[in-house]
Amino acid sequence: MKRFLPATVSTLVAAAYVVYRLASTGWEPTGWLELGDRISGGASEGSEGYDGQFFYYIALDPDPSSVSAKLDDPAYRYQRILYPLIARLVSLGVEARIPWAMLLIGLAAHWTGTWSVSEVLSDRGLSRWYALSYGLWVGLVAPVGIGLSEPLAFALAAAGMLSLERRRKLSAAALFGAAAFAKETTLVFLAAALIVELLTDRQARAIAAYAASGALFGTWQLWLLGTFGAVGLRAGGDTATAFEWIPFMGLFRVGFFSLAALGLYLVIFGPSIVLPSIWGTVASVRELLRGARDTETLVLLGFCMLIMGLPFSTFREPLGLVRAADGLVLAAILFASARRWLRPLRYSLFWSAMLAMVLPR
């Protein structure tokens, strides 16, 4: 029973947030999804809503020719097809059940992701409770109550890392590949696992499995290009800006509009995202120079680079920023635990303080 406690605690917290969201929207089945009428209803002066609405629309009607009119960036939104498809399957396509199916999937995924992290920690002889750093991260808890795909995507990625820990490489390849169809940033896990396999064991079956997962997602991108006229693998969404080449330039651009806002961002996100990404870059590069050839190191470096290059459109939206840091949180826990570095693991528990962000929503 103890092995399930961290996952259960974190899921209860996420469930409490779900109840809070439902209560604040009058228990309206779709109210928590923040449906906007500017895109779906064609109202030029209407509300924008939030990203969960796009998963809901796809789950309601996966036909790309009809649902594209309700998506602000069809290729970008449609590439994250796994979450809405599972919601449609679980709900049996019944419209009234789809919002509830999305909630249940989010909660189940969050439990699974936290449990997978706790299992990795236990296998490495460490306390399972460090998994709360993942389970109580606001960038994973908030999406459960807003209908987003991050809990599913990173649950699959965490399960893939657990499979790697237990030398089940074919399962890991399948899980990493599936995660990419929930959120494309999880491709970092697949790429890192493939690179490490090429540099170390060089098992033909494992290499073929990783390559097949990557090829399947690449084929999906070609289908998106043919269907919507664009690939999804890019910065996307309404009013999206491009990725930056100068580290943290997306953050500094906040100061071009308001120095006070930049100062507030540095106070809140400096200790929680900026400094951890700098630490992760230095630590992972140092380990690589020392000869490390493990997936955790490459995953951490990959997500740190992603954070540094995030576009201004992500940095200017606090919830979008903490969602973008989900990979950094998971990678830091896996990297530190692989080396039994207790200090970073202990510090990581302070990430749970960021849950204060969900209260105003």
Side-chain angles (χ1 to χ4, degrees), residues 93-109:
V94 178
E95 180 176 345
R97 297 176 184 171
I98 287 176
W100 305 112
M102 292 173 68
L103 278 176
L104 290 175
I105 293 165
L107 288 169

Side-chain angles (χ1 to χ4, degrees), residues 277-299:
S277 64
I278 294 173
W279 168 82
T281 302
V282 173
S284 57
V285 169
R286 182 180 60 189
E287 290 297 296
L288 289 173
L289 292 175
R290 290 176 176 175
R293 297 294 183 268
D294 58 278
T295 305
E296 290 86 350
T297 300
L298 290 182
V299 166

Side-chain angles (χ1 to χ4, degrees), residues 28-350:
E28 166 63 35
T30 59
W32 62 282
L33 290 168
E34 299 189 18
L35 306 183
D37 53 13
R38 187 170 63 83
I39 296 174
S40 62
S44 59
E45 301 300 326
S47 60
E48 292 185 5
Y50 201 63
D51 294 358
Q53 65 182 319
F54 303 119
F55 295 107
Y56 174 66
Y57 295 142
I58 295 171
L60 276 178
D61 182 9
D63 182 2
S65 62
S66 56
V67 75
S68 61
K70 296 183 176 181
L71 307 179
D72 60 348
D73 188 341
Y76 179 74
R77 302 297 181 185
Y78 205 88
Q79 74 176 331
R80 302 171 180 175
I81 191 66
L82 187 61
Y83 179 39
L85 277 190
I86 294 176
R88 186 170 179 82
L89 288 173
V90 171
S91 65
L92 301 178
V94 178
E95 180 176 345
R97 297 176 184 171
I98 287 176
W100 305 112
M102 292 173 68
L103 278 176
L104 290 175
I105 293 165
L107 288 169
H110 194 56
W111 189 95
T112 302
T114 309
W115 177 81
S116 297
V117 174
S118 73
E119 285 290 290
V120 172
L121 291 165
S122 179
D123 287 357
R124 293 172 177 177
L126 298 166
S127 171
R128 293 177 178 273
W129 290 102
Y130 289 124
L132 289 181
S133 301
Y134 171 93
L136 297 182
W137 171 243
V138 64
L140 290 164
V141 172
V144 175
I146 310 178
L148 305 176
S149 65
E150 282 86 357
L152 176 61
F154 287 96
L156 290 166
M161 291 302 295
L162 176 59
S163 293
L164 271 188
E165 182 72 15
R166 296 176 177 177
R167 306 295 295 176
R168 299 169 184 167
K169 296 180 181 180
L170 299 186
S171 296
L175 289 164
F176 291 151
F181 284 89
K183 188 166 185 179
E184 65 285 351
T185 54
T186 57
L187 283 170
V188 173
F189 290 94
L190 180 61
L194 175 58
I195 292 171
V196 169
E197 190 63 36
L198 290 169
L199 294 176
T200 56
D201 295 342
R202 299 181 183 176
Q203 294 180 5
R205 291 180 62 192
I207 293 172
Y210 293 133
S213 290
L216 185 61
F217 191 73
T219 302
W220 177 240
Q221 293 296 316
L222 291 176
W223 181 87
L224 292 171
L225 178 61
T227 304
F228 299 112
V231 297
L233 199 58
R234 54 187 167 77
D238 192 29
T239 70
T241 58
F243 280 91
E244 301 284 353
W245 291 101
I246 300 174
F248 301 114
M249 192 63 203
L251 171 61
F252 297 139
R253 289 187 191 280
V254 173
F256 296 165
F257 295 88
S258 170
L259 288 176
L262 176 59
L264 183 61
Y265 268 59
L266 290 173
V267 169
I268 297 174
F269 300 116
S272 60
I273 296 177
V274 175
L275 290 180
S277 64
I278 294 173
W279 168 82
T281 302
V282 173
S284 57
V285 169
R286 182 180 60 189
E287 290 297 296
L288 289 173
L289 292 175
R290 290 176 176 175
R293 297 294 183 268
D294 58 278
T295 305
E296 290 86 350
T297 300
L298 290 182
V299 166
L300 179 60
L301 180 59
F303 278 110
C304 288
M305 294 175 64
L306 180 65
I307 291 294
M308 292 181 180
L310 284 175
F312 165 66
S313 55
T314 299
F315 269 108
R316 73 185 175 193
E317 204 264 291
L319 184 55
L321 178 57
V322 295
R323 288 165 52 201
D326 291 345
L328 171 65
V329 169
L330 177 55
I333 297 168
L334 295 171
F335 174 82
S337 64
R339 288 155 178 80
R340 300 181 62 84
W341 291 355
L342 296 183
R343 182 174 294 178
L345 289 173
R346 290 167 182 158
Y347 286 161
S348 71
L349 293 171
F350 286 103

